[in-house]
Amino acid sequence: MFRRFWNIYYDGFRHLPRWGKIVIAIVLAKLFIMFAVIKLFFMPDYLNSQYTTDQEKSNHVLNELITKPSPMAPELTTTLVEWSRWQFAMTAIYHYMFVPLTLGLSFLLAVMETMWVRTGKEEWLHATKFWMKLFAINFAIGIATGLILEFQFGSNWSNYSWFVGDIFGAPLAIEGLFAFFLEATFFAVMFFGWNKVSKSFHLTSTWMVFLGSNISALWILVANAWMQNPVGMEFNPLTARNEMSDFWAVLFSPTAMNKFFHTVTSAYTLSACFVIGVSAWFILKKRHLGFARKSILLASVFGFFSIIATIFTGDTSAQDITRTQPMKLAAMSGTRYLLDS
C-alpha cells in the first residue's frame, strides 16, 4: 500500500506539466526563503549578542519597535501593534484571494467527475481535468500563504496566543491535524491518481477533497467566531489565562454557525461565477464548446441556489451581529456618518 502511494506521488510529480513544476518550485522557494534565508541573514540573534539582562532587552524592544517614530514620517509613531496588524492583514488578504474559490470549485469538480463516472461522456472528463488544474493553482498558493498565517499567530500575537491558546488553538489544531490532512492527502490522489487508482476510488478522493476543504473552513471560522463572541470559556485566576469550559458551546455557537454558512455559500457563489465566466469566454471564442456548455450549465444551477442561500445566511449573520456586536453593525452600515450628517 505504501509503495503504491509513493508511486502515485513520484509519477505524478515526474509527469507534471511545466506550469505545475513552476508553481511547486515557487512554493518551495518561498518556504525556503521564509525559514532559512530570512532567519539566517536578516534575523540574527541581535538581542542576545548586544544585551545580557532581560530588562535591557525589553528596553531595546520598547524603544525600537514600540515608541520609535517612523523615519519616513517622524510625526507618526509606528507601534509594534500597528506593524503586526498591517503584516497580518496583508497576508490574510492575499491568502483569502485564493481560498474561497477552492471551497466551491471542489464541489463542482466532484459533481463533474460523478457525471463522468455515471455517463462515461468524455466532455465531463475534460471538464473535470481542466477545472482541476485551476483548482490546483489556487490550492498551492493557499497552502503557502496559510502556513505564513499560522506562524504569524505566534510571531505577531504571541501574548494573545498564550492568553487564549487553550481555546483559540483548539479549533486551529483540529483544522490542521484533521481537515487539512484529509484534504491534502486525497488531493494528491485526485491530482496524481489518474490511471493509477480505480474510478470509484478517484471519485471518492475528489469528494473527500471537497469535504476536507469545507471542514477546514468550519474550524477556522469557529476560531474567528470565538474572537467575535467569546463563549464556552472561563478565566482562571491561578494561571491568568482563559480556558475552555464547554467545547460544544464554542463549536456550535450561533456566531460560528452563521459565519460558516455565510462564508461557504458566498464562496460557492464566487466559484459559480468564475466557472461561468471562463466557460462563457470559451463559448465566445468557439473553442471546446462541449465541455464549456456543460460547465456553464452546471455552474449556473449551482450559482442560482448558492446566491439564494447567500442572501439568507447574510441576513441571519447580520441578525447575530446585531445581538452580539451592535457597534460593528453600526460601522458596517455607516450609522455614525449618517448621524453626523
Side-chain angles (χ1 to χ4, degrees), residues 225 229 231 249 251-260 316 320 323:
N229 182 27
V231 295
L251 174 59
F252 292 111
S253 73
T255 303
M257 293 296 100
N258 284 311
K259 277 184 173 293
F260 170 69
T316 57
D320 179 75
R323 293 188 297 269

Side-chain angles (χ1 to χ4, degrees), residues 16-38:
L16 269 178
R18 185 170 180 270
W19 65 265
K21 294 178 180 178
I22 292 175
V23 170
I24 292 177
I26 292 174
V27 173
L28 293 178
K30 189 172 183 178
L31 294 176
F32 175 76
I33 292 172
M34 281 172 50
F35 299 114
V37 177
I38 293 180

Side-chain angles (χ1 to χ4, degrees), residues 91-101 103 145 149 263 266-267:
T91 308
I93 290 171
Y94 191 73
H95 176 66
Y96 205 70
M97 287 173 59
F98 301 94
V99 171
L101 188 60
L103 297 178
T145 53
L149 280 176
T263 299
S266 302

Side-chain angles (χ1 to χ4, degrees), residues 8 27 34 171 192 325 338:
I8 289 175
V27 173
M34 281 172 50
F192 299 133
Q325 296 175 295
L338 291 174

Side-chain angles (χ1 to χ4, degrees), residues 179-201:
F180 178 74
F181 272 86
L182 174 70
E183 181 183 12
T185 300
F186 284 103
F187 171 82
V189 179
M190 179 187 75
F191 194 73
F192 299 133
W194 295 105
N195 303 321
K196 296 180 177 65
V197 296
S198 64
K199 284 185 177 180
S200 59
F201 187 75

Side-chain angles (χ1 to χ4, degrees), residues 2 14 51-52 81 89 105-106 125 151 166 175 186 213 235 248 276 300 302 312 327:
F2 291 106
R14 192 160 57 93
Y51 304 102
T52 56
V81 173
L105 196 56
S106 59
L125 177 61
F151 282 99
D166 290 346
E175 185 274 333
F186 284 103
S213 62
F235 177 74
W248 302 110
I276 291 172
S300 298
F302 180 57
F312 174 76
M327 291 300 293

Side-chain angles (χ1 to χ4, degrees), residues 6 17 49 69 76-77 83 110 135 139 146 149 157 173 191 208 213 234 248 269 274 293 314 319-320 333-334 336-337:
W6 166 258
S49 62
L76 299 178
T77 300
W83 280 115
F135 175 88
F139 185 81
L149 280 176
W157 312 111
F191 194 73
M208 288 297 103
S213 62
E234 58 185 16
W248 302 110
T269 302
F274 176 77
R293 285 172 179 150
Q319 292 181 30
D320 179 75
S333 58
R336 171 192 169 190
Y337 301 102

